[in-house]
């Protein structure tokens, strides 16, 4: 990421491995169930192959999804970059952030991860969200610091 003059990175990270843990659990369970069904219908060897291939796909997709997502909070911008081959970049100015909301369900609290959702002024982009963040309060604090630093630079 190319920084603007006087711009500093306040937070930078990826979704935590704990944030995609539920994807792994559900994916592995689904692969095993599919393998059992295929095993009953077409034979145990084919069922085992389907289960193993499914589990490997789930692990690879989860890893690529996690590594391919990059979150940045600077003193001037919020930025989300998704993808490895095809990339989608989403960013907004830090002064457009009006509300920062966190969401942690019971499993998220146990895993110490959460979702940080940003409400921004003047944009139709309704899905500006950092998902699977370890310690979401750290991101909220980083946005607060970035907004204060931006206000000081303008003064």
């Amino acid at each position: 990421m190319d920084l603007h003059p006087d711009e500093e990175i306040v937070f930078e990270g990826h979704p935590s491995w704990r944030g995609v843990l539920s994807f792994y659990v559900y994916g592995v369970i689904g692969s095993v169930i599919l393998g059992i069904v295929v095993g009953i219908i077409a034979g145990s060897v084919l069922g085992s192959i389907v289960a193993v291939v499914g589990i490997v796909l789930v692990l690879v997709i989860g890893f690529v999804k996690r590594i391919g997502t990059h979150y940045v909070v600077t003193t001037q911008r919020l930025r989300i970059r998704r993808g490895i081959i095809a990339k989608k970049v989403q960013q907004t100015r830090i002064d457009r952030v009006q509300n920062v909301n966190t969401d942690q369900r019971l499993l998220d609290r146990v895993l110490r991860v959460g979702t940080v959702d940003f409400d921004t002024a003047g944009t139709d982009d309704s899905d500006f969200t950092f998902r699977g963040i370890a310690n979401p309060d750290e991101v909220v604090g980083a946005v607060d610091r970035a907004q204060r630093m931006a206000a000081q630079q303008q003064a």
Side-chain angles (χ1 to χ4, degrees):
M1 175 177 166
D2 293 329
L3 296 177
H4 297 147
D6 297 327
E7 183 177 25
E8 299 174 34
I9 294 176
V10 181
F11 172 85
E12 185 172 19
H14 296 275
S16 170
W17 67 269
R18 295 183 313 264
V20 292
L21 189 60
S22 61
F23 173 79
Y24 289 140
V25 170
Y26 292 128
V28 167
I29 290 171
S31 296
V32 169
I33 290 172
L34 182 63
I36 290 170
V37 170
V38 169
I40 291 171
I41 295 171
S44 61
V45 172
L46 186 58
S48 298
I49 291 171
V50 167
V52 168
V53 168
I55 291 169
V56 168
L57 280 175
V58 165
L59 295 176
V60 168
I61 289 169
F63 180 76
V64 168
K65 184 177 178 181
R66 179 179 170 269
I67 296 302
T69 303
H70 187 241
Y71 302 128
V72 179
V73 176
T74 73
T75 55
Q76 295 180 10
R77 299 178 279 175
L78 290 178
R79 185 171 193 254
I80 303 172
R81 187 189 76 223
R82 292 184 178 93
I84 292 179
I85 297 172
K87 291 187 180 182
K88 176 183 177 186
V89 176
Q90 190 179 8
Q91 69 180 15
T92 190
R93 292 192 330 252
I94 196 76
D95 60 355
R96 290 193 174 272
V97 176
Q98 293 180 328
N99 295 315
V100 181
N101 306 301
T102 60
D103 182 29
Q104 284 184 300
R105 294 182 223 127
L106 178 62
L107 182 59
D108 293 338
R109 297 239 358 185
V110 170
L111 296 173
R112 297 186 327 258
V113 295
T115 299
V116 182
D117 183 38
F118 304 95
D119 295 331
T120 56
T123 61
D124 292 333
D125 199 356
S126 61
D127 189 29
F128 205 92
T129 306
F130 289 11
R131 288 185 176 80
I133 291 292
N135 195 0
D137 292 334
E138 180 184 338
V139 174
V140 174
V143 170
D144 184 52
R145 281 191 313 277
Q147 287 178 322
R148 282 187 278 123
M149 291 170 77
Q152 288 174 351
Q153 288 176 351
Q154 291 177 353

